[in-house]
Amino acid sequence: MVTSTLGRTVGHGALAGAVAGGLGAAAQYWLVEPSIRAAIAIEEAGAAASEAGDHSHAAADQATGHSHAADVLVSRGEQVIFGMVTVLLVGILIGIAFALVHRFLGSRLPGRTAAGSAMALAGLGFVAFTLAPAIAVPANPPAAGDPATVDLRTLTYLGTIVCCAALTALVTGLARAKDLASESRAAAATAVGIVGTAVLIWALPDAADPVPTNVPTDLVWQFRVGSLTQIGLMWLVLGAAFAYLLPGRGPSRPSSAPADVRRPAMPGVPGQ
C-alpha cells in the first residue's frame, strides 16, 4: 500500500479544499447571490417606506445634509468579493481537516479503496455538517430572520452538528465492527441510525423562523436550495479531488524487463 507523508497529506487536502472552495465561491455568486440581492432590496424598500413616514427625521436629515448612502461603508460588490474569498479560504481549511481525518481514520470508513473511503467521508460530512443542520434550522435570506431568535437558532444549529456527528460515528463504527457478522452489522447500523435520527428530531427545539409576509416564499426556497446546493457541491468536489490526489490510485508501472525472461546467452561465457 502506498502512503504519503503528513506534509503531503496536508498539501493534498489544501489543494482539494481550494478546488472545492473555488467552485463554492462561483456557486455562491450564481446560485445564492441573486436571492440575497432580492431580499436586501425588499428590506431596503421597507426601511425607506418607514422613514418616509417620519417627517421629523427627514427634516433633520435635510437640515444637516445627512445622506444615508454615505453610511454604507462597504458596497454590496465589495461584500460579494469578500464573501467569495472567505468561501475559498474556508474550503482550504476544511480540506486540510478532511485530509487529516482521512489519514488517521480512513481505515475505519466505508469503502474498499482509499478513494472510496474519501468519497464516503465527504458524504458523511455533508450529512452531518450540512444536511442535518439545514433541516433543523432552515436558512433564511436577509430580511427573513427574527433577531430575537438568533441565540436559539445558533445553539440548535451547533447542537445538531455535534449530535449528528456523534450519531454518524456510531453508525459507521457499527457498520465496520469486526466482532459482528455482516448481516448483524448492517441491521445494527440501520436500527441505530433510524432510532437516533428519530430521537434527534424529537429532542431538537423548533428554531425555524416564520417567513415575513413581505418576503415571497419562492425567494426563501430559492435561497435555501441554492445554499444547500452550493455546500453540497463543495463536499462532492472535495471528496473527488482528494481521492484523485491520493497516492497509488493508478495502476503500477510495469517493469522494463520481466524477471523471468532470461538474457540471451553470450558466446564463450559459462553459465549462460
Side-chain angles (χ1 to χ4, degrees):
M1 181 178 179
V2 181
T3 59
S4 60
T5 63
L6 180 61
R8 179 164 294 187
T9 299
V10 172
H12 287 169
L15 180 57
V19 175
L23 178 64
Q28 175 175 310
Y29 182 80
W30 292 107
L31 299 179
V32 183
E33 180 60 21
S35 57
I36 293 179
R37 289 184 180 273
I40 291 177
I42 294 174
E43 185 178 26
E44 291 178 347
S50 176
E51 291 179 0
D54 191 351
H55 300 290
S56 60
H57 184 270
D61 285 346
Q62 292 176 1
T64 59
H66 181 271
S67 174
H68 291 286
D71 292 339
V72 181
L73 300 178
V74 181
S75 65
R76 183 56 196 164
E78 293 173 339
Q79 293 175 6
V80 172
I81 294 175
F82 178 77
M84 294 175 66
V85 172
T86 301
V87 171
L88 177 61
L89 295 178
V90 169
I92 294 175
L93 295 177
I94 293 179
I96 294 174
F98 181 92
L100 293 176
V101 171
H102 184 269
R103 179 181 179 88
F104 295 108
L105 300 178
S107 60
R108 302 181 181 181
L109 295 171
R112 297 179 179 273
T113 63
S117 63
M119 295 303 299
L121 180 59
L124 294 174
F126 171 73
V127 171
F129 295 98
T130 301
L131 183 60
I135 295 175
V137 186
N140 285 331
D146 184 1
T149 63
V150 170
D151 293 339
L152 176 61
R153 286 185 283 124
T154 301
L155 292 176
T156 304
Y157 188 89
L158 295 177
T160 302
I161 292 177
V162 172
C163 294
C164 191
L167 178 61
T168 301
L170 179 59
V171 172
T172 303
L174 287 174
R176 303 284 292 178
K178 298 181 179 180
D179 297 337
L180 300 176
S182 58
E183 296 81 3
S184 300
R185 291 198 301 265
T190 302
V192 170
I194 294 174
V195 174
T197 301
V199 172
L200 185 62
I201 294 175
W202 172 79
L204 289 174
D206 184 10
D209 275 347
V211 179
T213 56
N214 64 328
V215 178
T217 306
D218 293 344
L219 177 61
V220 175
W221 279 107
Q222 180 184 356
F223 176 80
R224 291 175 179 176
V225 172
S227 301
L228 192 61
T229 303
Q230 173 201 4
I231 304 178
L233 285 174
M234 290 180 66
W235 280 109
L236 176 63
V237 173
L238 175 61
F242 186 76
Y244 178 81
L245 294 172
L246 284 173
R249 61 177 184 81
S252 60
R253 180 180 300 177
S255 59
S256 57
D260 58 346
V261 176
R262 294 179 176 271
R263 292 177 299 173
M266 298 295 294
V269 178
Q272 297 283 342

